[in-house]
Amino acid sequence: MSATRKSVRRYPGRREIQDSEDGRDHTLFNVRQENSMPNLTRRKVLALGALGAAMPWVSKASAQERKITVAAYSDIFEDIYKRTVIVPFMKANPGIRVDYMGMPTSAQNLGMLRAQKAAPQIDVCIMDVVVAKAGGDENIYQPVSAEQLPVMKELVPAALIQGVPGPAVTFDALVLMYATGKFPTPPTSWKELWDKKHAGRIAIDAPPNLVGVGLTLIANKLAGGGDYRQSIDKGIQLLAEMAPLVQTWDPKPNPYAAVANGAVDLGVGYNARAQTISKQNPDRMAAAMPEEGSISQINTINLVKGSKQQEAALQFMTYALSGEAQSRFTEELSYVPTNKNASISEDARKRTATTPERTARMIDVDWIEVAKFRDKITEQWRRNVISRS
């Protein structure tokens, strides 16, 4: 008895859900034909049309989605900023996609923006205030106002800096990092960097990195140099005496890792990163605020002039400056928030530079004035400090 076979022609539809890096789902609906169009019956065409009407986001999502690119620091800053600010922003604003471009330093960030000035590929940029001022002077950024960003009215007065195109998004301070295994008790003075027992065991980022610039101002105070706006010569002379003890002026990947992995005993860095890495490696490194005091560091958030998605960029800046976003970021990376409505735990606050005892020891620095002679500091380091190592 012979079997009877039926030939069935199928027009399968496939619905796929793909997870993307931005934390949202993208729906793809693909229809594959085995033969020519006439094989699709009118009933099937109408059915497919009805399915499309039931899922309007399928055709509209990609057309309506706006994409912006944020350029800011790489490494641990990037990891935590994506998790605590970028992803929550995209979940709250599903029509905007944010790509993150990590840059090792603010100077490299500005160099990229200069190269793109005729056709910007970046929309929002986070960088230190001195470099931001230089970019503003070169017309790379679009100044923003409280009318454009009403959230600026929630910021502390120090976050609004005359002559800088964008407001401050974080505050920080320089600290002395040390290998816990080498110090029975925490170092209390910056002068530890001049102790010859640490020869070849020190890592410092030299200018134009702002760490080196800040250390110059601290050294100038240690040497009794007076007003840094008048002269930094005494600070440079003191740094020249320290130079032979330094292992590297360009630690790779950074001074935090150099201390944490045991490559050096001492390093100079920013409190926020140092506190976070110390918390991750409590038996290897810690951070100290020396008794002579420290200097503040300011990161600003800026709108790139010529951004093709200015409205979406401003929307992101509003979120990044909000108390909600800054609270979440500070809990994981110990920067000082600039929004006075930010609410952070006592544990997180203790790791920032805003405790009363630390605030009382801060050295007053006008970074806009420092920006005027930053190049001079860099040149003096090359001639009189690094050359001595």
Side-chain angles (χ1 to χ4, degrees), residues 191-202 241-246 265-266 388:
K191 294 176 183 177
E192 196 74 40
L193 292 167
W194 281 263
D195 193 323
K196 292 181 180 177
K197 69 183 179 183
H198 303 305
R201 304 289 298 174
I202 299 172
E241 295 174 16
M242 178 190 66
L245 309 180
V246 176
D265 298 338
L266 288 170
R388 294 281 303 277

Side-chain angles (χ1 to χ4, degrees), residues 39-111:
N39 290 312
L40 279 175
T41 65
R42 183 173 181 274
R43 179 177 296 176
K44 289 175 180 177
V45 170
L46 291 175
L48 289 174
L51 183 59
M55 298 188 297
W57 63 86
V58 174
S59 59
K60 293 180 180 180
S62 59
Q64 293 181 349
E65 184 179 70
R66 294 169 290 169
K67 182 178 79 70
I68 64 171
T69 299
V70 175
Y73 301 104
S74 54
D75 196 48
I76 192 171
F77 186 104
E78 176 176 355
D79 296 339
I80 294 177
Y81 203 75
K82 281 181 176 178
R83 183 168 64 251
T84 61
V85 181
I86 302 287
V87 170
F89 170 79
M90 289 193 294
K91 287 181 178 178
N93 300 274
I96 302 176
R97 172 183 168 183
V98 180
D99 288 343
Y100 190 105
M101 181 172 289
M103 302 296 292
T105 68
S106 293
Q108 289 170 284
N109 203 332
L110 179 59

Side-chain angles (χ1 to χ4, degrees), residues 9 75 103 108 176 231 265 306 309 329 354 375:
R9 192 180 301 278
D75 196 48
M103 302 296 292
Q108 289 170 284
L176 185 62
S231 173
D265 298 338
Q309 292 290 349
F329 185 56
T354 60
D375 290 344

